[in-house]
mmCIF file of all heavy atoms in Angstrom:
data_model
loop_
_atom_site.group_PDB
_atom_site.id
_atom_site.type_symbol
_atom_site.label_atom_id
_atom_site.label_comp_id
_atom_site.label_asym_id
_atom_site.label_seq_id
_atom_site.Cartn_x
_atom_site.Cartn_y
_atom_site.Cartn_z
ATOM 1 N N TYR R 269 7.840 100.058 128.289
ATOM 2 C CA TYR R 269 6.780 100.597 128.980
ATOM 3 C C TYR R 269 5.638 99.572 129.209
ATOM 4 O O TYR R 269 5.289 98.954 128.175
ATOM 5 C CB TYR R 269 6.178 101.898 128.346
ATOM 6 C CG TYR R 269 4.955 102.325 128.779
ATOM 7 C CD1 TYR R 269 4.769 102.656 130.157
ATOM 8 C CD2 TYR R 269 3.794 102.557 127.994
ATOM 9 C CE1 TYR R 269 3.555 103.218 130.719
ATOM 10 C CE2 TYR R 269 2.579 103.117 128.442
ATOM 11 C CZ TYR R 269 2.422 103.327 129.844
ATOM 12 O OH TYR R 269 1.324 103.832 130.339
ATOM 13 N N SER R 270 5.160 99.493 130.297
ATOM 14 C CA SER R 270 4.008 98.561 130.651
ATOM 15 C C SER R 270 2.796 99.338 130.906
ATOM 16 O O SER R 270 2.661 99.833 131.889
ATOM 17 C CB SER R 270 4.256 97.686 131.888
ATOM 18 O OG SER R 270 3.016 96.999 132.336
ATOM 19 N N PRO R 271 1.749 99.578 129.970
ATOM 20 C CA PRO R 271 0.603 100.242 130.110
ATOM 21 C C PRO R 271 -0.279 99.543 131.276
ATOM 22 O O PRO R 271 -0.836 100.240 132.085
ATOM 23 C CB PRO R 271 -0.126 100.118 128.719
ATOM 24 C CG PRO R 271 0.929 99.805 127.814
ATOM 25 C CD PRO R 271 1.937 98.938 128.531
ATOM 26 N N ALA R 272 -0.247 98.203 131.348
ATOM 27 C CA ALA R 272 -1.015 97.498 132.302
ATOM 28 C C ALA R 272 -0.583 97.737 133.767
ATOM 29 O O ALA R 272 -1.356 97.958 134.685
ATOM 30 C CB ALA R 272 -1.044 95.965 132.088
ATOM 31 N N ASP R 273 0.703 97.793 133.934
ATOM 32 C CA ASP R 273 1.179 97.980 135.427
ATOM 33 C C ASP R 273 1.778 99.378 135.584
ATOM 34 O O ASP R 273 2.264 99.671 136.607
ATOM 35 C CB ASP R 273 2.325 97.026 135.637
ATOM 36 C CG ASP R 273 1.743 95.490 135.710
ATOM 37 O OD1 ASP R 273 0.814 95.347 136.482
ATOM 38 O OD2 ASP R 273 2.114 94.731 134.983
ATOM 39 N N ASN R 274 1.721 100.215 134.528
ATOM 40 C CA ASN R 274 2.067 101.690 134.631
ATOM 41 C C ASN R 274 3.460 101.958 135.213
ATOM 42 O O ASN R 274 3.664 102.646 136.132
ATOM 43 C CB ASN R 274 1.047 102.367 135.535
ATOM 44 C CG ASN R 274 0.924 103.913 135.462
ATOM 45 O OD1 ASN R 274 1.281 104.382 134.147
ATOM 46 N ND2 ASN R 274 0.679 104.630 136.426
ATOM 47 N N PHE R 275 4.440 101.311 134.450
ATOM 48 C CA PHE R 275 5.858 101.612 134.704
ATOM 49 C C PHE R 275 6.634 101.690 133.513
ATOM 50 O O PHE R 275 6.219 101.083 132.405
ATOM 51 C CB PHE R 275 6.426 100.699 135.764
ATOM 52 C CG PHE R 275 6.625 99.181 135.196
ATOM 53 C CD1 PHE R 275 7.745 98.949 134.436
ATOM 54 C CD2 PHE R 275 5.737 98.272 135.353
ATOM 55 C CE1 PHE R 275 8.026 97.742 133.843
ATOM 56 C CE2 PHE R 275 5.930 97.020 134.890
ATOM 57 C CZ PHE R 275 7.044 96.680 134.114
ATOM 58 N N ILE R 276 7.777 102.232 133.459
ATOM 59 C CA ILE R 276 8.684 102.253 132.286
ATOM 60 C C ILE R 276 10.122 101.904 132.856
ATOM 61 O O ILE R 276 10.532 102.409 133.726
ATOM 62 C CB ILE R 276 8.565 103.457 131.465
ATOM 63 C CG1 ILE R 276 9.428 103.488 130.308
ATOM 64 C CG2 ILE R 276 9.027 104.796 132.428
ATOM 65 C CD1 ILE R 276 9.240 104.598 129.348
ATOM 66 N N ILE R 277 10.681 100.964 132.157
ATOM 67 C CA ILE R 277 12.089 100.798 132.276
ATOM 68 C C ILE R 277 12.918 101.725 131.432
ATOM 69 O O ILE R 277 12.854 101.502 130.120
ATOM 70 C CB ILE R 277 12.560 99.354 131.874
ATOM 71 C CG1 ILE R 277 11.712 98.219 132.747
ATOM 72 C CG2 ILE R 277 14.108 99.096 132.179
ATOM 73 C CD1 ILE R 277 11.992 98.345 134.273
ATOM 74 N N GLY R 278 13.522 102.803 131.976
ATOM 75 C CA GLY R 278 13.855 103.851 131.205
ATOM 76 C C GLY R 278 15.189 103.936 130.760
ATOM 77 O O GLY R 278 15.724 104.857 130.054
ATOM 78 N N GLY R 279 16.075 102.931 131.205
ATOM 79 C CA GLY R 279 17.536 103.093 130.836
ATOM 80 C C GLY R 279 18.253 104.445 131.379
ATOM 81 O O GLY R 279 17.775 104.927 132.444
ATOM 82 N N ASP R 280 19.044 105.068 130.416
ATOM 83 C CA ASP R 280 19.677 106.340 130.875
ATOM 84 C C ASP R 280 19.063 107.555 130.222
ATOM 85 O O ASP R 280 19.836 108.384 129.979
ATOM 86 C CB ASP R 280 21.135 106.165 130.557
ATOM 87 C CG ASP R 280 21.813 105.224 131.488
ATOM 88 O OD1 ASP R 280 21.325 104.768 132.328
ATOM 89 O OD2 ASP R 280 23.084 105.004 131.315
ATOM 90 N N VAL R 281 17.762 107.563 130.140
ATOM 91 C CA VAL R 281 17.120 108.698 129.546
ATOM 92 C C VAL R 281 16.713 109.733 130.522
ATOM 93 O O VAL R 281 17.159 110.920 130.636
ATOM 94 C CB VAL R 281 15.893 108.229 128.796
ATOM 95 C CG1 VAL R 281 15.076 109.526 128.242
ATOM 96 C CG2 VAL R 281 16.257 107.470 127.465
ATOM 97 N N LEU R 282 16.009 109.216 131.587
ATOM 98 C CA LEU R 282 15.375 110.193 132.637
ATOM 99 C C LEU R 282 15.741 109.477 134.063
ATOM 100 O O LEU R 282 15.468 108.280 134.178
ATOM 101 C CB LEU R 282 13.938 110.219 132.540
ATOM 102 C CG LEU R 282 13.149 111.139 133.513
ATOM 103 C CD1 LEU R 282 13.552 112.636 133.383
ATOM 104 C CD2 LEU R 282 11.624 110.940 133.251
ATOM 105 N N PHE R 283 16.365 110.342 134.874
ATOM 106 C CA PHE R 283 16.660 109.917 136.183
ATOM 107 C C PHE R 283 15.974 110.789 137.268
ATOM 108 O O PHE R 283 15.235 111.804 136.882
ATOM 109 C CB PHE R 283 18.151 110.149 136.369
ATOM 110 C CG PHE R 283 19.103 109.230 135.705
ATOM 111 C CD1 PHE R 283 20.136 109.943 134.913
ATOM 112 C CD2 PHE R 283 18.923 107.928 135.393
ATOM 113 C CE1 PHE R 283 20.897 109.205 134.096
ATOM 114 C CE2 PHE R 283 19.834 107.189 134.619
ATOM 115 C CZ PHE R 283 20.766 107.881 133.900
ATOM 116 N N TYR R 284 15.947 110.317 138.497
ATOM 117 C CA TYR R 284 15.526 111.223 139.628
ATOM 118 C C TYR R 284 16.155 112.505 139.640
ATOM 119 O O TYR R 284 17.416 112.583 139.851
ATOM 120 C CB TYR R 284 15.666 110.426 140.899
ATOM 121 C CG TYR R 284 15.282 111.184 142.170
ATOM 122 C CD1 TYR R 284 13.923 111.300 142.506
ATOM 123 C CD2 TYR R 284 16.246 111.960 142.897
ATOM 124 C CE1 TYR R 284 13.516 112.061 143.661
ATOM 125 C CE2 TYR R 284 15.837 112.746 143.940
ATOM 126 C CZ TYR R 284 14.420 112.775 144.377
ATOM 127 O OH TYR R 284 14.076 113.395 145.424
ATOM 128 N N ARG R 285 15.458 113.513 139.267
ATOM 129 C CA ARG R 285 15.934 114.988 139.170
ATOM 130 C C ARG R 285 17.095 115.150 138.279
ATOM 131 O O ARG R 285 17.950 116.207 138.416
ATOM 132 C CB ARG R 285 16.251 115.500 140.565
ATOM 133 C CG ARG R 285 15.189 115.378 141.676
ATOM 134 C CD ARG R 285 13.959 116.141 141.319
ATOM 135 N NE ARG R 285 13.034 116.147 142.308
ATOM 136 C CZ ARG R 285 11.999 115.238 142.496
ATOM 137 N NH1 ARG R 285 11.914 114.253 141.525
ATOM 138 N NH2 ARG R 285 11.201 115.147 143.532
ATOM 139 N N SER R 286 17.228 114.347 137.177
ATOM 140 C CA SER R 286 18.328 114.461 136.312
ATOM 141 C C SER R 286 18.017 113.770 134.945
ATOM 142 O O SER R 286 16.870 113.244 134.749
ATOM 143 C CB SER R 286 19.696 113.804 136.928
ATOM 144 O OG SER R 286 20.758 114.194 136.116
ATOM 145 N N ILE R 287 18.911 113.810 134.084
ATOM 146 C CA ILE R 287 18.748 113.240 132.715
ATOM 147 C C ILE R 287 20.022 112.479 132.342
ATOM 148 O O ILE R 287 21.219 112.711 132.984
ATOM 149 C CB ILE R 287 18.386 114.299 131.647
ATOM 150 C CG1 ILE R 287 19.538 115.407 131.617
ATOM 151 C CG2 ILE R 287 16.994 114.987 131.960
ATOM 152 C CD1 ILE R 287 19.357 116.263 130.334
ATOM 153 N N GLY R 288 20.024 111.721 131.358
ATOM 154 C CA GLY R 288 21.211 110.967 130.883
ATOM 155 C C GLY R 288 22.243 111.992 130.296
ATOM 156 O O GLY R 288 21.922 113.027 129.764
ATOM 157 N N ARG R 289 23.459 111.553 130.458
ATOM 158 C CA ARG R 289 24.650 112.312 129.917
ATOM 159 C C ARG R 289 24.652 112.342 128.469
ATOM 160 O O ARG R 289 24.180 111.421 127.755
ATOM 161 C CB ARG R 289 25.986 112.046 130.487
ATOM 162 C CG ARG R 289 26.291 110.514 130.132
ATOM 163 C CD ARG R 289 27.567 110.038 130.841
ATOM 164 N NE ARG R 289 28.773 110.866 130.482
ATOM 165 C CZ ARG R 289 29.935 110.619 130.895
ATOM 166 N NH1 ARG R 289 30.336 109.702 131.745
ATOM 167 N NH2 ARG R 289 31.038 111.233 130.347
ATOM 168 N N THR R 290 25.069 113.456 127.720
ATOM 169 C CA THR R 290 25.022 113.357 126.268
ATOM 170 C C THR R 290 26.473 113.663 125.629
ATOM 171 O O THR R 290 26.594 113.972 124.487
ATOM 172 C CB THR R 290 24.114 114.516 125.702
ATOM 173 O OG1 THR R 290 24.353 115.782 126.249
ATOM 174 C CG2 THR R 290 22.617 114.062 126.193
ATOM 175 N N ASP R 291 27.386 113.578 126.438
ATOM 176 C CA ASP R 291 28.782 113.920 126.014
ATOM 177 C C ASP R 291 29.529 112.782 125.456
ATOM 178 O O ASP R 291 30.743 112.768 125.135
ATOM 179 C CB ASP R 291 29.579 114.554 127.095
ATOM 180 C CG ASP R 291 29.811 113.635 128.341
ATOM 181 O OD1 ASP R 291 28.888 112.850 128.574
ATOM 182 O OD2 ASP R 291 30.769 113.893 129.211
ATOM 183 N N LEU R 292 28.823 111.557 125.433
ATOM 184 C CA LEU R 292 29.567 110.344 124.845
ATOM 185 C C LEU R 292 29.264 110.228 123.368
ATOM 186 O O LEU R 292 28.248 110.894 122.909
ATOM 187 C CB LEU R 292 28.926 109.070 125.720
ATOM 188 C CG LEU R 292 29.169 108.982 127.058
ATOM 189 C CD1 LEU R 292 28.585 107.793 127.755
ATOM 190 C CD2 LEU R 292 30.685 108.973 127.457
ATOM 191 N N PRO R 293 29.958 109.454 122.642
ATOM 192 C CA PRO R 293 29.752 109.358 121.172
ATOM 193 C C PRO R 293 28.345 108.958 120.898
ATOM 194 O O PRO R 293 27.847 107.967 121.493
ATOM 195 C CB PRO R 293 30.778 108.313 120.758
ATOM 196 C CG PRO R 293 31.850 108.460 121.658
ATOM 197 C CD PRO R 293 31.280 108.798 122.915
ATOM 198 N N GLY R 294 27.716 109.707 120.043
ATOM 199 C CA GLY R 294 26.371 109.319 119.643
ATOM 200 C C GLY R 294 25.300 110.125 120.548
ATOM 201 O O GLY R 294 24.063 109.918 120.308
ATOM 202 N N GLY R 295 25.818 110.868 121.503
ATOM 203 C CA GLY R 295 24.876 111.605 122.397
ATOM 204 C C GLY R 295 24.453 112.868 121.730
ATOM 205 O O GLY R 295 25.239 113.481 120.980
ATOM 206 N N ASN R 296 23.243 113.305 122.021
ATOM 207 C CA ASN R 296 22.795 114.731 121.564
ATOM 208 C C ASN R 296 21.875 115.264 122.554
ATOM 209 O O ASN R 296 20.701 114.624 122.752
ATOM 210 C CB ASN R 296 22.097 114.435 120.218
ATOM 211 C CG ASN R 296 21.555 115.766 119.572
ATOM 212 O OD1 ASN R 296 20.775 116.463 120.106
ATOM 213 N ND2 ASN R 296 22.178 116.112 118.408
ATOM 214 N N TYR R 297 22.153 116.346 123.135
ATOM 215 C CA TYR R 297 21.462 117.021 124.283
ATOM 216 C C TYR R 297 20.037 117.361 123.909
ATOM 217 O O TYR R 297 19.053 116.952 124.587
ATOM 218 C CB TYR R 297 22.235 118.186 124.753
ATOM 219 C CG TYR R 297 21.354 118.749 125.972
ATOM 220 C CD1 TYR R 297 21.465 118.378 127.147
ATOM 221 C CD2 TYR R 297 20.660 119.962 125.664
ATOM 222 C CE1 TYR R 297 20.811 119.011 128.244
ATOM 223 C CE2 TYR R 297 19.862 120.598 126.729
ATOM 224 C CZ TYR R 297 20.078 120.104 127.993
ATOM 225 O OH TYR R 297 19.325 120.708 128.943
ATOM 226 N N GLN R 298 19.877 118.078 122.713
ATOM 227 C CA GLN R 298 18.563 118.402 122.407
ATOM 228 C C GLN R 298 17.682 117.376 121.864
ATOM 229 O O GLN R 298 16.423 117.207 122.252
ATOM 230 C CB GLN R 298 18.652 119.521 121.062
ATOM 231 C CG GLN R 298 17.231 120.083 120.889
ATOM 232 C CD GLN R 298 16.709 120.871 122.170
ATOM 233 O OE1 GLN R 298 17.406 121.753 122.753
ATOM 234 N NE2 GLN R 298 15.467 120.587 122.635
ATOM 235 N N GLN R 299 18.317 116.192 121.383
ATOM 236 C CA GLN R 299 17.570 115.001 120.926
ATOM 237 C C GLN R 299 16.949 114.383 122.250
ATOM 238 O O GLN R 299 15.877 113.938 122.297
ATOM 239 C CB GLN R 299 18.440 114.164 120.174
ATOM 240 C CG GLN R 299 17.670 113.033 119.536
ATOM 241 C CD GLN R 299 18.647 112.059 118.684
ATOM 242 O OE1 GLN R 299 19.728 111.745 119.163
ATOM 243 N NE2 GLN R 299 18.158 111.675 117.565
ATOM 244 N N LEU R 300 17.895 114.318 123.300
ATOM 245 C CA LEU R 300 17.442 113.755 124.531
ATOM 246 C C LEU R 300 16.197 114.483 125.127
ATOM 247 O O LEU R 300 15.223 113.933 125.560
ATOM 248 C CB LEU R 300 18.567 113.630 125.494
ATOM 249 C CG LEU R 300 18.353 113.065 126.837
ATOM 250 C CD1 LEU R 300 17.929 111.589 126.790
ATOM 251 C CD2 LEU R 300 19.575 113.226 127.817
ATOM 252 N N ILE R 301 16.377 115.793 125.209
ATOM 253 C CA ILE R 301 15.256 116.593 125.771
ATOM 254 C C ILE R 301 13.963 116.328 125.131
ATOM 255 O O ILE R 301 12.989 116.169 125.623
ATOM 256 C CB ILE R 301 15.654 118.118 125.740
ATOM 257 C CG1 ILE R 301 16.835 118.396 126.693
ATOM 258 C CG2 ILE R 301 14.477 118.974 126.137
ATOM 259 C CD1 ILE R 301 16.634 118.014 128.179
ATOM 260 N N ASN R 302 14.094 116.351 123.645
ATOM 261 C CA ASN R 302 12.940 116.106 122.830
ATOM 262 C C ASN R 302 12.318 114.674 123.126
ATOM 263 O O ASN R 302 11.177 114.462 123.224
ATOM 264 C CB ASN R 302 13.337 116.233 121.396
ATOM 265 C CG ASN R 302 13.588 117.668 120.955
ATOM 266 O OD1 ASN R 302 13.307 118.608 121.633
ATOM 267 N ND2 ASN R 302 14.232 117.790 119.857
ATOM 268 N N SER R 303 13.191 113.710 123.328
ATOM 269 C CA SER R 303 12.679 112.347 123.576
ATOM 270 C C SER R 303 11.980 112.339 124.942
ATOM 271 O O SER R 303 10.873 111.624 124.950
ATOM 272 C CB SER R 303 13.920 111.305 123.671
ATOM 273 O OG SER R 303 14.608 111.186 122.448
ATOM 274 N N ILE R 304 12.480 112.975 125.877
ATOM 275 C CA ILE R 304 11.699 113.030 127.210
ATOM 276 C C ILE R 304 10.356 113.803 127.071
ATOM 277 O O ILE R 304 9.316 113.180 127.465
ATOM 278 C CB ILE R 304 12.672 113.657 128.283
ATOM 279 C CG1 ILE R 304 13.825 112.861 128.540
ATOM 280 C CG2 ILE R 304 11.896 113.854 129.556
ATOM 281 C CD1 ILE R 304 15.017 113.435 129.265
ATOM 282 N N GLN R 305 10.461 114.952 126.515
ATOM 283 C CA GLN R 305 9.295 115.733 126.414
ATOM 284 C C GLN R 305 8.131 115.298 125.570
ATOM 285 O O GLN R 305 7.009 115.307 125.778
ATOM 286 C CB GLN R 305 9.560 117.184 126.126
ATOM 287 C CG GLN R 305 10.489 117.944 127.143
ATOM 288 C CD GLN R 305 10.804 119.336 126.869
ATOM 289 O OE1 GLN R 305 10.872 119.772 125.726
ATOM 290 N NE2 GLN R 305 11.100 120.108 127.872
ATOM 291 N N GLU R 306 8.672 114.705 124.357
ATOM 292 C CA GLU R 306 7.589 114.267 123.382
ATOM 293 C C GLU R 306 7.242 112.745 123.516
ATOM 294 O O GLU R 306 6.119 112.458 123.008
ATOM 295 C CB GLU R 306 8.246 114.470 122.009
ATOM 296 C CG GLU R 306 8.575 115.937 121.585
ATOM 297 C CD GLU R 306 9.361 116.093 120.366
ATOM 298 O OE1 GLU R 306 9.545 115.105 119.667
ATOM 299 O OE2 GLU R 306 9.719 117.189 120.076
ATOM 300 N N ARG R 307 7.993 112.028 124.321
ATOM 301 C CA ARG R 307 7.685 110.651 124.429
ATOM 302 C C ARG R 307 7.274 110.310 125.941
ATOM 303 O O ARG R 307 6.293 109.706 126.155
ATOM 304 C CB ARG R 307 8.694 109.737 123.720
ATOM 305 C CG ARG R 307 8.818 109.857 122.218
ATOM 306 C CD ARG R 307 9.752 108.958 121.559
ATOM 307 N NE ARG R 307 9.730 109.251 120.137
ATOM 308 C CZ ARG R 307 10.697 109.840 119.466
ATOM 309 N NH1 ARG R 307 11.720 110.458 120.103
ATOM 310 N NH2 ARG R 307 10.580 110.075 118.188
ATOM 311 N N LEU R 308 8.309 110.356 126.723
ATOM 312 C CA LEU R 308 8.148 110.027 128.115
ATOM 313 C C LEU R 308 7.062 110.740 128.818
ATOM 314 O O LEU R 308 6.301 110.309 129.713
ATOM 315 C CB LEU R 308 9.474 110.009 128.817
ATOM 316 C CG LEU R 308 10.174 108.652 128.785
ATOM 317 C CD1 LEU R 308 10.660 108.367 127.474
ATOM 318 C CD2 LEU R 308 11.444 108.665 129.745
ATOM 319 N N PHE R 309 7.081 112.078 128.586
ATOM 320 C CA PHE R 309 6.113 113.069 129.232
ATOM 321 C C PHE R 309 4.736 112.889 128.799
ATOM 322 O O PHE R 309 3.822 113.493 129.352
ATOM 323 C CB PHE R 309 6.612 114.478 129.254
ATOM 324 C CG PHE R 309 7.633 114.757 130.297
ATOM 325 C CD1 PHE R 309 8.157 113.744 131.024
ATOM 326 C CD2 PHE R 309 8.127 116.066 130.383
ATOM 327 C CE1 PHE R 309 9.104 114.078 132.170
ATOM 328 C CE2 PHE R 309 9.170 116.465 131.345
ATOM 329 C CZ PHE R 309 9.620 115.516 132.264
ATOM 330 N N LYS R 310 4.474 112.028 127.835
ATOM 331 C CA LYS R 310 3.193 111.696 127.213
ATOM 332 C C LYS R 310 2.524 110.561 128.125
ATOM 333 O O LYS R 310 1.363 110.363 128.073
ATOM 334 C CB LYS R 310 3.194 111.260 125.824
ATOM 335 C CG LYS R 310 3.647 112.291 124.977
ATOM 336 C CD LYS R 310 2.900 113.463 124.787
ATOM 337 C CE LYS R 310 3.348 114.518 123.675
ATOM 338 N NZ LYS R 310 2.642 115.723 123.663
ATOM 339 N N LEU R 311 3.346 109.917 128.925
ATOM 340 C CA LEU R 311 2.796 108.818 129.804
ATOM 341 C C LEU R 311 2.120 109.499 130.974
ATOM 342 O O LEU R 311 2.291 110.617 131.333
ATOM 343 C CB LEU R 311 3.961 107.967 130.280
ATOM 344 C CG LEU R 311 4.917 107.334 129.179
ATOM 345 C CD1 LEU R 311 6.064 106.619 129.684
ATOM 346 C CD2 LEU R 311 3.992 106.465 128.275
ATOM 347 N N PRO R 312 1.338 108.598 131.697
ATOM 348 C CA PRO R 312 0.574 109.086 132.998
ATOM 349 C C PRO R 312 1.551 109.638 133.940
ATOM 350 O O PRO R 312 2.683 109.235 134.181
ATOM 351 C CB PRO R 312 -0.180 107.910 133.531
ATOM 352 C CG PRO R 312 -0.289 107.036 132.146
ATOM 353 C CD PRO R 312 0.987 107.241 131.491
#
């Protein structure tokens, strides 16, 4: 995340109208939702 330029390189967490898949090894749906809501959604 760049606070100065107000962007985030988000990888496969949050997409346009979608979210990353969680059916691969190490994936966890609720954990992903929490990451988005508690961390990314705190951004402007």
Side-chain angles (χ1 to χ4, degrees):
Y269 171 56
S270 169
D273 292 303
N274 198 30
F275 70 81
I276 185 168
I277 304 296
D280 287 1
V281 175
L282 181 65
F283 299 128
Y284 175 82
R285 308 296 188 265
S286 189
I287 60 174
R289 59 188 295 182
T290 55
D291 59 336
L292 300 173
N296 183 297
Y297 178 81
Q298 192 55 54
Q299 190 178 44
L300 178 63
I301 296 298
N302 292 344
S303 291
I304 295 170
Q305 293 180 335
E306 296 172 8
R307 296 187 174 101
L308 270 63
F309 278 4
K310 301 296 185 184
L311 302 176

